[in-house]
Every structure is written in C-alpha cells, then in structure tokens.
C-alpha cells in the first residue's frame, strides 16, 4: 500500500511540474527580455544558458535592454542564473549601455517582492520592483 501511495505522489508531482514552467522571451525590436512562470530544477539550465548568451549577444550590438522578471516561483538553482543575468547587465551598464530591470511580483508571492528588493540593492542601474 505504501508503494502505491508513493507512486501516486510522484505521478502527481510530475504532472504538477509539467504545468509549471519557465518561459524566457527576447524581443529584439523592443529591446526587452521577459522571464516568467515557475523556474525550478535542473531542467531550466539550458533555458538560462541560452538566455544569457542571447542577452550578451544582443547587448554587444545594441545600446539598451530592459529585463522583466515575473516569476511565480524560483528555486536556489535558478537564483544563481538570475544573479548571472544581473551581473551581465551591470557589466554592460558600466560600459555605458542603458539597461534596466523590472521585477514583478504578485500579492500571493510576497517572497518574490523581497527577493526583488534584495537584488535592487546590488544594482547601480534602474531596477523597479512592482506588483503585477
């Protein structure tokens, strides 16, 4: 009986995880990147690596970029990638590029507000924390 309960729980967690996903979109015409959704687990590694490379390439040939973070949730694995993106933006800011972050949070996820405020303290470029 215990094995059956564990199998049902794993199946439920797997099903739930597939519903929650991370999306990252770069709109070169508008000069914006939007990250939204649930960012968790090692399966987001490729998405973040591709996004970081896209941001780097875009800023090498463009003067401005605004990055929107609109997470419902992210884990510590994702945190390191978010920090890398913010460091990358800071590097380009120091080179004279106009970069900005807009960090959205929902009232049901106040921890996301706190994380945004913590990141904002690290930045010398425009960083807005707003309720979605």
């Amino acid at each position: 009986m215990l094995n059956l309960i564990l199998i049902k729980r794993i199946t439920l967690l797997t099903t739930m995880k597939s519903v929650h996903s991370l999306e990252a979109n770069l709109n070169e015409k508008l000069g914006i990147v939007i990250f939204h959704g649930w960012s968790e687990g090692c399966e987001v590694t490729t998405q973040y690596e591709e996004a970081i490379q896209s941001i780097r390439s875009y800023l090498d040939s463009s003067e401005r970029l605004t990055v929107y973070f609109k997470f419902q949730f992210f884990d510590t694995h994702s945190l390191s990638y978010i920090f890398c993106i913010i460091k990358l933006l800071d590097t380009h800011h120091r080179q004279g590029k106009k970069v900005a972050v807009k960090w959205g949070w929902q009232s049901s996820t106040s921890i996301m507000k706190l994380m945004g405020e913590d990141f904002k303290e690290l930045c010398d470029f425009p960083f807005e924390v707003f309720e979605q």
Side-chain angles (χ1 to χ4, degrees):
M1 183 68 173
L2 182 59
N3 286 340
L4 181 59
I5 292 170
L6 287 175
I7 289 170
K8 285 183 180 179
R9 183 164 186 252
I10 290 169
T11 302
L12 177 62
L13 290 174
T14 303
T15 303
M16 287 172 56
K17 196 171 212 176
S18 65
V19 171
H20 303 300
S21 62
L22 170 67
E23 288 190 35
N25 300 300
L26 168 63
N27 184 322
E28 293 181 5
K29 189 180 240 184
L30 296 176
I32 62 172
V33 176
I34 301 173
F35 291 91
H36 64 93
W38 286 65
S39 178
E40 61 181 330
C42 294
E43 52 279 344
V44 297
T45 298
T46 302
Q47 281 180 282
Y48 277 114
E49 289 173 350
E50 289 173 0
I52 289 168
Q53 184 56 43
S54 295
I55 291 168
R56 183 177 287 117
S57 295
Y58 179 80
L59 282 171
D60 284 345
S61 61
S62 300
E63 292 301 312
R64 66 178 58 232
L65 181 68
T66 300
V67 178
Y68 290 81
F69 291 105
K70 297 176 158 188
F71 296 113
Q72 278 103 20
F73 173 82
F74 63 84
D75 62 7
T76 54
H77 180 77
S78 301
L79 185 61
S80 63
Y81 287 106
I82 295 165
F83 186 67
C84 284
I85 291 167
I86 290 172
K87 285 191 333 186
L88 177 61
L89 293 174
D90 185 60
T91 298
H92 284 277
H93 169 71
R94 292 177 192 280
Q95 295 171 359
K97 307 281 177 139
K98 295 186 187 295
V99 298
V101 168
K102 297 194 182 268
W103 185 281
W105 63 279
Q106 297 174 350
S107 59
S108 61
T109 58
S110 59
I111 189 71
M112 293 296 115
K113 177 185 179 187
L114 296 173
M115 293 301 298
E117 290 170 346
D118 287 346
F119 277 125
K120 181 178 181 173
E121 292 296 316
L122 301 173
C123 298
D124 292 329
F125 55 84
F127 195 118
E128 178 186 350
V129 179
F130 67 95
E131 186 172 4
Q132 300 182 68

